[in-house]
C-alpha cells in the first residue's frame, strides 16, 4: 500500500513539475514573440528614418519652381524609357525560358563538356549523367593530378550552379590543373527511381572517374547544398571510392537553428509533416514538381521576391539586364522528382532529421552511417545564409561525435570554414567567393589528408604586399564542444521537432491509407502536366513572352528607346522620391516578413512545445551508468598496442606530431607548403597511397594524444639504425631554422636530440632523463555521449508505442 502511495506521489510530483516547466516554456515563447515584434517594428522605423534623411538634409524642398519642372519632365521621360526596357527584359526572360524548355533544359555551364556516362542506361537507371568538363583555351589540366567531381543540388532547379561562370568551383579547379567532372541530371526522373539508386549511380560515376585516373589519388567530391548531403551519402556507402569531400551550404541537421533567425525549419511542423509533399506528388501523377521547392526559397525573402530584384533591374536598366537574364535562366529551370525520392527526403531529412542521427535507411535495415566516411571533410557555410544556416551545416558533427575524443577515435578529419556574410547562392555563384574561399579550398586539398584526426577551423587571411593581394589559410584545432557557440540558447528548442516527426508519421499513415488511393486514381499524366504549366512560377514566365500577342510591340519600342536613351539625373528631387518610395516599399515587405516569421515561430512552439515536455523529461532522466572508454575504440586500441613498434617513417611522423602537440594548435598553409618542400620527400609519406599515409598519421596521433611521454621514450625503438636517426636529426635541423618554435617546442627538440644522440641498434635511450611534462590524455567520453544515446533509445521507444 505504501509503495502504491509512493508511486502515486511521484507521479503527482512529476506532473506538477511538468506543469511548471510548461508554464515556464510558454512564458519564454511569449517573451520571445513580443521581443521579435518590437524589434521588427523598430527596424521598420529605422529604415523609414534612414530613407528620409536625404530629404531632410537636401535642398530639394527649396528648389525654384522652374528647376522642379525641368527635373520632373526629365524624370518622367527617363521613367517611361526605363519602364519600356524593364518590360522588354521580362519579355526576354520569358523567351529564354521557352527556348530552354524546348532544348530539354541542358546544364547551364559556362564551359564545354562531353558526356562520359548516362545513368539512364545503368542496371538501376536514374536520370543522372557524368560529364567531363573541357578546359577552355589557355588552360591545361594534368591527367596525373587528382580529379574533381562536382555534384550540383537537385532541389527544384537544374544543374549548372557549380560552373555557372568562369570564376566558379569548376573554373578554380581547372585553373589549378585538375581534371574536372560534373554530375548532371535530366528534367524527368526515371519512374520508380529512389535516392538509394541515385547514390549507387553517383558511386558508379566515381568508380568510372577513378578508372580514368588510376595513377593518381581518389577524386575530390564537391557537393553544393543538397548535393552536399548526396556526396556524404556516397561517402558513407562506398568509402573506398571517395577522396576528400567538400560540402558547401549543405543542410545536414535540419532541426538546427536559432530562434528568430531560421524560420524555414518550422515549415515541416506547420504543414503537418510529409503528407503535403505526398499530395503534391500524387497531383503530379507520381512526380513532385521542383517549382514548389523554389517557391519555398522565395517565401523566405518576400521583399526580394516581389520587389527588390525587380526594382534593382528597373533602377539599373542600362547595365543590369544581362546579369538578371543570366541568373533567371537558371532560377526558372524547374526539374521534377519521383514520389519515392521526395518522400525519402522529407521523411528522413526535412522532418525526421534521421541522417544526422544515423537512422536514414537506404535499403531495408541498412542505414547511412556517416561515421563510415574515411576521407577528410571540409564544411563551408555562411552566417548570411538563411536557407542553410551554419547550425544545419555543422551540428551533425556533434550529433554523431558528441565529443572531440569520439571524433578522433573514429579517425575523422573535419575542417570548418565560415563566411561572415554571403548568402546561400553566393556560396556557389559569387566570383569573389570563388577567387577567395574556393581557391584556398582547392589549394588545401593536397595537404588535408596529412592532418591528424580532429576538428579544425579554417580561416582565409588576406595579405596585401606591394599593392598586390594574396591569401593564406590558417587552420586552428577546435573541439566539437565549441560548436555550441553557434546556438544562442542551446539545443533544447530542437525537442519539439521530435513531436513533429511523430505527428507527421500519423498524418502520413492516414493519408496513404485513405487519400492517396483516391487521388492517384483520379489524376492523369495530361492533367498533371497542365497543372505544372499553370504553376505561378512557370506562368509568370511564359505569360511574359512572345507567346503573349499584347507584348509584340515591346521589342520595337525597346529598340527605339535604346537608340534615343536620355541621360538621367540621379540627384534630382524626383529621383530622390523614387529611392524613398523603393526603400519604404522594401522595408514594408521586411516588416511583413518579420511579423509573419515571428507568428509562425510562436504558433509552432505553442502547438508542439507542450507535447514535448514529456520528451524532454525522458531525455533528462536518461542517465548513463558507465562512461564509454575511448581507449577501447578499435583504432585507438590497435595503435596503442604498437606504441613501441614501427618503421622509420612512423618514427619521423611521431616526432613531428609530438612537436605539433607542443605547439599552439595552429597551422598555416604557407608553412605547410614550406615544410613539405624542405622535408616532404624525407618523411616518406608523399610516395605512399593516401590511405596508407593517413593510417600512419592516424595511428601515431593516437599514441601521441594518449601516451605522449611513452611515445617520446619509445622513439629510438622506431629508429634503430644510425642512418635513420641521423636522417631525423638532419630533418629537425632543417626545420628548426624555418619554423617559429615556442619554448616548449624548443625544449622538446632538445629532448629528441638527446634521445637520438648516440648510435645504436638496441633502440634504448642513452640521453638525459626526459623532463617533458606529462599531458593528461583523454581517457573517457563525456557523459553527453551516453545521454544522447539514451535519448535516442527513449525516442525509439516512443515511436514503437505510437505505431499501431
Amino acid at each position: 500500500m505504501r509503495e502504491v502511495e509512493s508511486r502515486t506521489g511521484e507521479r503527482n510530483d512529476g506532473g506538477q513539475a511538468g506543469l511548471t516547466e510548461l508554464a515556464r516554456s510558454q512564458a519564454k515563447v511569449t517573451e520571445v514573440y513580443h521581443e521579435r515584434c518590437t524589434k521588427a517594428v523598430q527596424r521598420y522605423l529605422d529604415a523609414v528614418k534612414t530613407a528620409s534623411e536625404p530629404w531632410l538634409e537636401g535642398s530639394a524642398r527649396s528648389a525654384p519652381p522652374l528647376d522642379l519642372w525641368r527635373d520632373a519632365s526629365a524624370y518622367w521621360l527617363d521613367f517611361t524609357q526605363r519602364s519600356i526596357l524593364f518590360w522588354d527584359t521580362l519579355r526576354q526572360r520569358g523567351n529564354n525560358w521557352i527556348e530552354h524548355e524546348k532544348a530539354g533544359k541542358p546544364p547551364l555551364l559556362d564551359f564545354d563538356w562531353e558526356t562520359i556516362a548516362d545513368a539512364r542506361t545503368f542496371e538501376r537507371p536514374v536520370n543522372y549523367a557524368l560529364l567531363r568538363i573541357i578546359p577552355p583555351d589557355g588552360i591545361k589540366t594534368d591527367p596525373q593530378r587528382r580529379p574533381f567531381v562536382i555534384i550540383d543540388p537537385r532541389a527544384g532547379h537544374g544543374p549548372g550552379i557549380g560552373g555557372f561562370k568562369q570564376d566558379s568551383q569548376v573554373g578554380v579547379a581547372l585553373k589549378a590543373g585538375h581534371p574536372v567532372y560534373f554530375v548532371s541530371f535530366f528534367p524527368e526522373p526515371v519512374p520508380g527511381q529512389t535516392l538509394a539508386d541515385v547514390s549507387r549511380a553517383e558511386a558508379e560515376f566515381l568508380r568510372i572517374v577513378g578508372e580514368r585516373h588510376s595513377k593518381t589519388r581518389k577524386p575530390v567530391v564537391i557537393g553544393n547544398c543538397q548535393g552536399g548531403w548526396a556526396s556524404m551519402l556516397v561517402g558513407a556507402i562506398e568509402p573506398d571510392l571517395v577522396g576528400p569531400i567538400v560540402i558547401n551550404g549543405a543542410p545536414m541537421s535540419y532541426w538546427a537553428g536559432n530562434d528568430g533567425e531560421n524560420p524555414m525549419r518550422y515549415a515541416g511542423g506547420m504543414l503537418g509533416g510529409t503528407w503535403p509533399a505526398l499530395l503534391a506528388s500524387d497531383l503530379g501523377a507520381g512526380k513532385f514538381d521542383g517549382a514548389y521547392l523554389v517557391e519555398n526559397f522565395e517565401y523566405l525573402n518576400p521583399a526580394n521576391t516581389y520587389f527588390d530584384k525587380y526594382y534593382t533591374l528597373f533602377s539599373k536598366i542600362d547595365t543590369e539586364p544581362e546579369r538578371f537574364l543570366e541568373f533567371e535562366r537558371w532560377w526558372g529551370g524547374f526539374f521534377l522528382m519521383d514520389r519515392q525520392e521526395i518522400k525519402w527526403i522529407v521523411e528522413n531529412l526535412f522532418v525526421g532529421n534521421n541522417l544526422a542521427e544515423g537512422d536514414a535507411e537506404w535499403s531495408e535495415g541498412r542505414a547511412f552511417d556517416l561515421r563510415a566516411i574515411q576521407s577528410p571533410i571540409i564544411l563551408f557555410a555562411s552566417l548570411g545564409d538563411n536557407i542553410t544556416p551554419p547550425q544545419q551545416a555543422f551540428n551533425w558533427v556533434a550529433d554523431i561525435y558528441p565529443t572531440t575524443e569520439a571524433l578522433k577515435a573514429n579517425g575523422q578529419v573535419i575542417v570548418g570554414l565560415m563566411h561572415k556574410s554571403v548568402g546561400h547562392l553566393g556560396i556557389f555563384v559569387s566570383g569573389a567567393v570563388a577567387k577567395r574561399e574556393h581557391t584556398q579550398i582547392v589549394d588545401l586539398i593536397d595537404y588535408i589528408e596529412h592532418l591528424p584526426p580532429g576538428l579544425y577551423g579554417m580561416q582565409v587571411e588576406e595579405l596585401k604586399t606591394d599593392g598586390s593581394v594574396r591569401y593564406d589559410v590558417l587552420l586552428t584545432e577546435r573541439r566539437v564542444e565549441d560548436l555550441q557557440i553557434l546556438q544562442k540558447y542551446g539545443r533544447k528548442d530542437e525537442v519539439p521537432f521530435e513531436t513533429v516527426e511523430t505527428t507527421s508519421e500519423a498524418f502520413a499513415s492516414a493519408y496513404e491509407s485513405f487519400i492517396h488511393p483516391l487521388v492517384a486514381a483520379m489524376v492523369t499524366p495530361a492533367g498533371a502536366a497542365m497543372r505544372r504549366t499553370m504553376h505561378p512560377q512557370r506562368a509568370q514566365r511564359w505569360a511574359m513572352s512572345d507567346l503573349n500577342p499584347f507584348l509584340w510591340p515591346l521589342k520595337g519600342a525597346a529598340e527605339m528607346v535604346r537608340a534615343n536613351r536620355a541621360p538621367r539625373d540621379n540627384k534630382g528631387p524626383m529621383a530622390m522620391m523614387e529611392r524613398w518610395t523603393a526603400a519604404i516599399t522594401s522595408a514594408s515587405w521586411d516588416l511583413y516578413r518579420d511579423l509573419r516569421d515571428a507568428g509562425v515561430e510562436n504558433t509552432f512552439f505553442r502547438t508542439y512545445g507542450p507535447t514535448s515536455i514529456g520528451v524532454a523529461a525522458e531525455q533528462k532522466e536518461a542517465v548513463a551508468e558507465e562512461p564509454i572508454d575511448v581507449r577501447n575504440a578499435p583504432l585507438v586500441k590497435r595503435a596503442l598496442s604498437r606504441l613501441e613498434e614501427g618503421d622509420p617513417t612512423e618514427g619521423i611522423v611521431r616526432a613531428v606530431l609530438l612537436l605539433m602537440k607542443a605547439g599552439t594548435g595552429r597551422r598555416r598553409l604557407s608553412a605547410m607548403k614550406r615544410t613539405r618542400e624542405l622535408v616532404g620527400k624525407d618523411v616518406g609519406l608523399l610516395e605512399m597511397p593516401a590511405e596508407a599515409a593517413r593510417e600512419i598519421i592516424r595511428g601515431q596521433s593516437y599514441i601521441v594524444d594518449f601516451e605522449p611521454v611513452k611515445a617520446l621514450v619509445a622513439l629510438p625503438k622506431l629508429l634503430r639504425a644510425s642512418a635513420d636517426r641521423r636522417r631525423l636529426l638532419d630533418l629537425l635541423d632543417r626545420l628548426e631554422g624555418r619554423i617559429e618554435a615556442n619554448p616548449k617546442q624548443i625544449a622538446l627538440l632538445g629532448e629528441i636530440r638527446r634521445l637520438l644522440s648516440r648510435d645504436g641498434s638496441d633502440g634504448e635511450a642513452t640521453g638525459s632523463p626526459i623532463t617533458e611534462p606529462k599531458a593528461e590524455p583523454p581517457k573517457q567520453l563525456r557523459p553527453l555521449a551516453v545521454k544522447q544515446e539514451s535519448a535516442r533509445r527513449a525516442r525509439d521507444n516512443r515511436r514503437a508505442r505510437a505505431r499501431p
Side-chain angles (χ1 to χ4, degrees):
M1 183 69 179
R2 290 180 180 176
E3 182 179 353
V4 173
E5 292 177 352
S6 175
R7 291 179 180 176
T8 303
E10 289 177 1
R11 286 197 297 269
N12 291 335
D13 292 342
Q16 185 63 38
L19 291 175
T20 302
E21 179 64 24
L22 174 60
R24 187 183 299 114
S25 172
Q26 293 301 294
K28 182 64 176 178
V29 170
T30 301
E31 178 186 346
V32 171
Y33 176 65
H34 287 168
E35 181 182 352
R36 290 192 63 183
C37 291
T38 301
K39 289 182 177 179
V41 173
Q42 187 58 51
R43 280 193 296 269
Y44 174 77
L45 294 176
D46 291 342
V48 172
K49 180 180 178 181
T50 301
S52 302
E53 286 177 354
W55 280 101
L56 299 175
E57 298 174 358
S59 59
R61 294 170 299 168
S62 58
L66 184 59
D67 290 346
L68 291 176
W69 173 258
R70 290 171 178 168
D71 178 73
S73 300
Y75 172 80
W76 285 112
L77 174 60
D78 171 70
F79 182 90
T80 303
Q81 290 183 333
R82 282 188 291 151
S83 298
I84 293 172
L85 296 176
F86 171 82
W87 289 108
D88 185 62
T89 302
L90 294 187
R91 180 189 65 83
Q92 293 178 56
R93 180 185 72 168
N95 291 342
N96 290 345
W97 182 83
I98 292 173
E99 291 174 4
H100 191 52
E101 291 282 321
K102 290 180 178 179
K105 292 188 277 195
L108 295 174
L109 294 166
D110 196 31
F111 301 86
D112 293 331
W113 48 269
E114 63 174 340
T115 301
I116 301 299
D118 189 336
R120 292 176 298 185
T121 64
F122 288 1
E123 181 180 355
R124 298 184 66 90
V126 295
N127 65 328
Y128 277 70
L130 176 65
L131 313 179
R132 184 184 77 87
I133 303 298
I134 300 174
D137 294 339
I139 294 180
K140 292 184 178 181
T141 59
D142 183 358
Q144 300 303 317
R145 302 202 68 180
R146 73 186 321 161
F148 277 58
V149 178
I150 298 173
I151 302 178
D152 253 11
R154 186 162 162 244
H157 304 102
I161 201 71
F164 200 57
K165 54 180 72 171
Q166 292 296 311
D167 288 327
S168 61
Q169 296 162 358
V170 171
V172 165
L174 288 174
K175 290 175 183 176
H178 295 276
V180 177
Y181 294 83
F182 193 87
V183 175
S184 182
F185 44 89
F186 300 98
E188 297 272 350
V190 175
Q193 73 178 44
T194 65
L195 258 296
D197 296 333
V198 172
S199 294
R200 292 189 187 97
E202 290 171 338
E204 181 62 25
F205 290 159
L206 292 178
R207 185 175 288 108
I208 292 171
V209 172
E211 292 173 353
R212 291 172 63 91
H213 301 271
S214 58
K215 296 182 180 180
T216 186
R217 297 189 173 185
K218 294 177 183 178
V220 177
V221 181
I222 298 178
N224 296 320
C225 189
Q226 293 196 18
W229 55 253
S231 304
M232 297 289 281
L233 298 186
V234 177
I237 63 174
E238 293 288 356
D240 293 335
L241 296 176
V242 181
I245 300 174
V246 183
I247 58 177
N248 305 304
M252 300 288 293
S253 298
Y254 278 83
W255 292 355
N258 279 326
D259 297 349
E261 294 180 1
N262 311 123
M264 200 171 188
R265 64 182 182 145
Y266 305 123
M270 299 306 295
L271 293 173
T274 61
W275 74 267
L278 300 178
L279 174 61
S281 299
D282 291 339
L283 292 175
K287 297 175 182 177
F288 181 82
D289 189 356
Y292 292 119
L293 297 177
V294 177
E295 208 166 40
N296 286 341
F297 298 147
E298 294 194 340
Y299 166 88
L300 289 174
N301 191 351
N304 183 72
T305 298
Y306 300 116
F307 181 74
D308 286 352
K309 72 175 182 178
Y310 295 113
Y311 178 70
T312 299
L313 172 64
F314 178 75
S315 63
K316 302 178 181 179
I317 196 63
D318 297 313
T319 58
E320 185 69 9
E322 182 178 357
R323 191 208 63 81
F324 176 85
L325 293 173
E326 180 184 35
F327 179 77
E328 286 290 313
R329 185 189 294 270
W330 175 77
W331 189 254
F334 310 113
F335 281 52
L336 309 182
M337 289 186 182
D338 187 83
R339 187 181 194 270
Q340 293 302 315
E341 291 181 286
I342 193 64
K343 180 181 179 182
W344 190 96
I345 291 172
V346 176
E347 281 185 350
N348 289 281
L349 303 179
F350 295 166
V351 173
N353 199 39
N354 293 330
L355 182 59
E357 297 177 355
D359 297 333
E361 293 188 353
W362 61 280
S363 65
E364 187 67 29
R366 302 179 66 182
F368 291 102
D369 185 359
L370 299 182
R371 289 168 296 187
I373 298 174
Q374 301 172 3
S375 306
I377 302 169
I378 297 179
L379 310 177
F380 182 17
S382 173
L383 293 172
D385 188 346
N386 66 341
I387 292 178
T388 302
Q391 297 85 1
Q392 294 187 9
F394 287 103
N395 278 5
W396 68 272
V397 178
D399 289 338
I400 64 175
Y401 299 117
T403 66
T404 307
E405 290 73 31
L407 185 147
K408 290 184 175 182
N410 198 48
Q412 186 57 265
V413 173
I414 298 179
V415 176
L417 172 61
M418 184 81 75
H419 197 283
K420 293 182 179 180
S421 60
V422 73
H424 184 70
L425 292 176
I427 294 175
F428 322 124
V429 302
S430 169
V433 171
K435 293 177 182 177
R436 180 184 169 102
E437 278 77 14
H438 289 301
T439 298
Q440 301 311 308
I441 289 174
V442 171
D443 211 10
L444 180 64
I445 289 297
D446 289 336
Y447 300 86
I448 190 175
E449 289 180 306
H450 289 172
L451 288 175
L455 178 66
Y456 299 86
M458 176 179 172
Q459 182 179 352
V460 179
E461 297 181 334
E462 186 175 295
L463 307 174
K464 296 182 179 180
T465 55
D466 300 329
S468 61
V469 178
R470 65 182 182 87
Y471 300 103
D472 198 2
V473 170
L474 177 65
L475 295 180
T476 305
E477 289 189 46
R478 302 291 188 188
R479 295 190 61 80
V480 171
E481 295 81 355
D482 294 339
L483 294 176
Q484 291 294 331
I485 198 174
L486 296 173
Q487 309 293 147
K488 287 184 177 180
Y489 312 109
R491 300 185 65 179
K492 291 191 297 183
D493 63 348
E494 295 180 21
V495 176
F497 289 91
E498 297 191 16
T499 305
V500 172
E501 183 180 10
T502 304
T503 304
S504 173
E505 291 173 353
F507 285 171
S509 177
Y511 175 84
E512 294 282 30
S513 299
F514 303 109
I515 309 299
H516 166 66
L518 297 176
V519 177
M522 291 188 295
V523 172
T524 64
M530 178 60 68
R531 276 185 289 275
R532 285 193 288 268
T533 301
M534 298 305 296
H535 191 284
Q537 289 288 336
R538 293 184 178 84
Q540 64 178 290
R541 287 168 168 82
W542 58 255
M544 289 297 299
S545 71
D546 285 342
L547 292 179
N548 186 345
F550 293 101
L551 300 184
W552 291 349
L554 261 181
K555 182 177 181 181
E559 291 175 353
M560 185 181 300
V561 166
R562 293 187 185 96
N564 298 276
R565 189 72 173 96
R568 179 184 177 191
D569 181 9
N570 286 318
K571 298 181 180 179
M574 297 299 294
M576 292 174 60
M577 175 65 77
E578 178 189 299
R579 289 194 293 271
W580 180 86
T581 304
I584 298 302
T585 303
S586 182
S588 299
W589 276 112
D590 286 342
L591 175 63
Y592 157 74
R593 177 201 61 199
D594 294 341
L595 295 178
R596 178 201 66 189
D597 292 347
V600 167
E601 183 177 83
N602 182 60
T603 304
F604 177 87
F605 282 109
R606 288 193 178 280
T607 302
Y608 295 102
T611 57
S612 65
I613 297 296
V615 177
E618 287 185 25
Q619 293 182 353
K620 188 174 182 180
E621 293 174 0
V623 179
E625 296 181 359
E626 296 182 3
I628 301 172
D629 189 355
V630 178
R631 294 177 69 101
N632 284 326
L635 295 176
V636 177
K637 191 174 183 179
R638 184 165 65 247
L640 294 178
S641 69
R642 300 185 68 251
L643 190 147
E644 297 185 351
E645 303 173 11
D647 57 26
T649 295
E650 292 173 286
I652 295 174
V653 170
R654 182 181 297 185
V656 172
L657 290 175
L658 284 166
L659 289 169
M660 292 169 59
K661 185 177 179 65
T664 62
R666 296 186 174 188
R667 300 168 176 82
R668 290 191 180 277
L669 181 57
S670 56
M672 294 164 68
K673 290 180 178 180
R674 289 196 302 269
T675 301
R676 179 172 290 188
E677 291 172 359
L678 281 172
V679 300
K681 293 183 179 179
D682 296 328
V683 175
L685 294 177
L686 298 181
E687 289 75 23
M688 291 184 181
E691 295 74 21
R694 193 161 61 240
E695 184 175 352
I696 289 176
I697 295 171
R698 182 177 59 200
Q700 294 303 315
S701 71
Y702 292 148
I703 294 172
V704 168
D705 279 345
F706 284 86
E707 298 289 355
V709 176
K710 291 182 180 179
L712 181 59
V713 172
L715 193 58
K717 295 185 178 181
L718 277 67
L719 299 158
R720 295 179 179 274
S722 300
D724 294 330
R725 296 186 178 191
R726 175 49 49 195
R727 179 159 63 112
L728 175 57
L729 292 173
D730 290 343
L731 183 151
L732 295 177
D733 290 339
R734 274 181 282 158
L735 279 180
E736 188 174 11
R738 299 294 299 273
I739 64 172
E740 298 178 4
N742 61 27
K744 192 175 180 181
Q745 288 175 312
I746 293 174
L748 184 56
L749 281 169
E751 295 286 1
I752 294 175
R753 288 191 176 100
R754 282 191 289 273
L755 278 169
L756 304 179
S757 60
R758 293 192 180 184
D759 297 337
S761 58
D762 57 356
E764 296 296 328
T766 57
S768 303
I770 297 175
T771 58
E772 179 73 13
K774 183 175 181 179
E776 183 66 25
K779 293 181 179 179
Q780 295 176 331
L781 281 177
R782 297 188 178 187
L784 174 62
V786 185
K787 286 185 178 181
Q788 291 197 355
E789 179 60 30
S790 300
R792 179 181 297 182
R793 290 198 298 268
R795 186 185 67 249
D796 292 341
N797 291 335
R798 288 194 307 276
R799 289 179 180 172
R801 293 196 298 268
R803 294 190 180 99

